[in-house]
Amino acid sequence: MSKDLDRVRDQWETLAKTDPFWAVLTETEYHDGQARKDFFDSGRTDVRMLLEVLDRHGKSYGDVAVDFGCGVGRLTYALAEHCKQVTGIDVSPSMIEQAQAGNPFPDRVAFVHNEAATLPFDDDSVDLVISVITLQHIRPALSLRYLLEMARITKPGGHLVFQLPSHVPATRPMPPSLSKAQLHVLEAPTSLEVGESGYVRVGVKNISQGEWLPGQLLNAGNHWRLHGAMVVQDDGREPVRCPLRPGESTEALIRIMAPGEPGSYELEVDLVQETVAWWAERDSPTVRVPVEVRAKAPAITAPVDEAPAPVVAKTTGDELEMNGVRKDLVYALFEQIGCTVLEATPDERAGGHWLSYVYAIEVGEYRIDINHGI
Ligand SMILES: C[S@@+](CC[C@H](N)C(=O)[O-])C[C@H]1O[C@@H](n2cnc3c(N)ncnc32)[C@H](O)[C@@H]1O
């Protein structure tokens, strides 16, 4: 297995053991397996949206489908409401275990753990492959391999429908006269353990004379200060919802992580136009709140025969990276191997400032035999 795959597997495995539903959809309501029904309903909505793309082109879904990067089965179960046989594939054994445990269609839906850069299916053996919020965390060289693999396993006339970010568009610096914000901390923890995650909710008001336009990579972010000195510059980031006209306000919920050493810190929130400047450098006022960072509580020891299940750290401290493959390259790749891109629909799942698309591909007769090299 490649180092890339090792890394991806280890990260997802940690997340799957910690908080699998939230690892799939990072909305706060899904923490610790809450709102299960809403979680799986969201899978139905997503699958309907993916299949609607094929409906628009008058294409059928076929009987045999694969969900690449299936997680706990959110989309896999939903896909089984449209296709006779569905297989969910995932690099994380714990995700697969969870998906299997809740499988409502055990006779028609299978879950397979796969740590290879190839997909465990014969050539031309499936009608449809879907994938959502998975390829975006895989490095492009590997994503391209998976895309070729998806085409290999799909019958001519079958389809791939997947979401994949393209890139973050270059930004023009906002003029300093627009970089004026009033920030309020609406909610923040007063105390956290070292390395523990939490949320800070911030009110953001445009107090400049001009409109903040969308697409300018404007984020609310936080630093950590100790005795006034900045000890962590880059921690959480959350996009500021734009457009925002002069005098208008919005809110941002920033996911923060306490520093690694205990102490009486200040959490400082500022706005940042990515790759351009923190607004404090432009004399826009920041806002600070005290947060006590505590040492980790000592583990409670129990007699061996009643030892609790091992506690897994709440976060890896190692954020999942975002990756994209340029839209032009996706088109060229599929055209090169005789497939047709039916459409690339703009999609917001990658969040932040990524341009991301849902691609619908019709697989053609001619494809390169990947197993014999390109
Ligand atoms: C954010 S979750 C999305 C799960 C599912 N697609 C959904 O939308 O509910 C991403 C999933 O992709 C899986 N994954 C990441 N890299 C993978 C790879 N190389 N092969 C298979 N699965 C992978 C992760 O383990 C994780 O379960």
Side-chain angles (χ1 to χ4, degrees), residues 176-352:
S177 61
L178 286 188
S179 309
K180 301 281 171 262
Q182 193 176 64
L183 306 175
H184 290 284
V185 171
L186 301 168
E187 247 181 284
T190 51
S191 158
L192 288 171
E193 262 189 14
V194 292
E196 191 184 359
S197 297
Y199 287 89
V200 57
R201 194 159 63 85
V202 199
V204 179
K205 184 173 181 185
N206 178 355
I207 53 167
S208 78
Q209 299 299 314
E211 185 172 1
W212 299 347
L213 297 171
Q216 306 203 79
L217 306 193
L218 184 59
N219 283 332
N222 74 289
H223 317 298
W224 289 96
R225 288 183 181 271
L226 192 59
H227 312 305
M230 193 182 295
V231 287
V232 177
Q233 184 179 38
D234 292 296
D235 183 25
R237 287 283 212 282
E238 189 59 31
V240 174
R241 239 176 291 128
C242 293
L244 212 60
R245 286 195 285 270
E248 281 184 347
S249 298
T250 183
E251 281 184 22
L253 187 66
I254 310 171
R255 184 159 187 262
I256 57 170
M257 189 191 290
E261 295 294 327
S264 302
Y265 287 82
E266 278 181 311
L267 172 80
E268 180 176 38
V269 179
D270 192 2
L271 298 194
V272 57
Q273 189 186 12
E274 300 297 346
T275 74
V276 179
W278 287 95
W279 285 14
E281 294 162 21
R282 297 180 162 189
D283 298 325
S284 183
T286 63
V287 64
R288 299 185 192 184
V289 286
V291 179
E292 196 59 34
V293 176
R294 310 181 309 272
K296 267 206 181 352
I300 298 163
T301 48
V304 175
D305 56 349
E306 31 174 293
V311 177
V312 181
K314 254 297 190 214
T315 62
T316 56
D318 185 9
E319 292 301 311
L320 288 166
E321 64 182 41
M322 287 295 294
N323 288 290
V325 176
R326 289 258 173 185
K327 188 173 154 199
D328 293 355
L329 179 52
V330 177
Y331 270 77
L333 177 83
F334 284 107
E335 280 163 15
Q336 184 73 37
I337 59 170
C339 299
T340 309
V341 182
L342 299 175
E343 67 173 67
T345 316
D347 178 81
E348 305 218 317
R349 287 182 181 77

Side-chain angles (χ1 to χ4, degrees), residues 5 8 12 24 68-69 71 74 90-91 95 132-134 138 146:
L5 265 166
V8 165
W12 283 107
V24 168
F68 174 73
R74 190 178 69 95
D90 205 284
V91 74
M95 288 285 191
V132 164
I133 49 176
T134 295
I138 298 177
Y146 282 126

Side-chain angles (χ1 to χ4, degrees), residues 90-135:
D90 205 284
V91 74
S92 152
S94 299
M95 288 285 191
I96 289 292
E97 254 171 52
Q98 300 248 0
Q100 257 156 355
N103 188 353
F105 311 106
D107 50 333
R108 304 191 290 114
V109 174
F111 289 96
V112 176
H113 168 230
N114 182 55
E115 293 191 7
T118 50
L119 297 179
F121 299 93
D122 291 338
D123 294 0
D124 303 343
S125 57
V126 313
D127 299 298
L128 173 66
V129 181
I130 66 160
S131 186
V132 164
I133 49 176
T134 295
L135 292 165

